[in-house]
């Protein structure tokens, strides 16, 4: 788009490229494990085990695992789609070249 001097199309494609990169960065920088919550759940689980309330301990362990897994899933989210970015960059260059403003 840039080479074709299609600056309007180049602007649209640049916005799409920036949005793709920003979305990827936001996902990768997602929330961390809530350490305070996990510590609280771990303490409650220890108390439940001490009281031999194994059903409650099992429930608390599931909550702990879910909290940790949710954080890991967000942190391991999709990376920048390099192929898409390259495709958009090429289309942008063509639009500018074609003077598609």
């Amino acid at each position: 788009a840039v080479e074709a001097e299609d600056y309007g199309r180049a602007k649209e494609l640049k916005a799409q490229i920036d949005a793709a990169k920003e979305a990827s960065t936001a996902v990768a920088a997602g929330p961390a494990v809530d350490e305070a919550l996990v510590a609280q759940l771990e303490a409650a689980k220890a108390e439940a085990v001490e009281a031999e309330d194994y059903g409650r301990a099992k429930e608390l362990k599931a909550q702990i695992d879910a909290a940790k897994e949710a954080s890991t899933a967000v942190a391991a989210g999709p990376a920048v789609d390099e192929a898409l970015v390259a495709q958009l960059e090429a289309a942008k260059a063509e639009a500018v070249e074609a003077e598609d403003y």
Side-chain angles (χ1 to χ4, degrees):
V2 173
E3 290 176 18
E5 295 182 8
D6 181 357
Y7 300 114
R9 180 72 176 138
K11 181 179 178 181
E12 292 172 13
L13 292 167
K14 172 130 176 45
Q16 290 178 7
I17 292 165
D18 292 345
K21 288 179 180 179
E22 186 175 315
S24 174
T25 301
V27 169
V33 174
D34 184 346
E35 296 296 335
L37 174 62
V38 171
Q40 183 180 11
L41 292 170
E42 291 282 1
K45 183 181 82 169
E47 290 176 14
V49 170
E50 183 68 28
E52 297 182 4
D53 185 353
Y54 301 117
R56 178 75 178 137
K58 182 178 179 179
E59 292 172 9
L60 291 164
K61 181 177 182 331
Q63 290 178 16
I64 293 165
D65 292 345
K68 290 179 179 179
E69 186 175 318
S71 175
T72 302
V74 169
V80 173
D81 185 345
E82 295 297 335
L84 174 61
V85 171
Q87 182 182 7
L88 292 170
E89 291 281 4
K92 181 177 79 170
E94 290 174 13
V96 172
E97 184 177 323
E99 296 182 8
D100 183 2
Y101 305 114

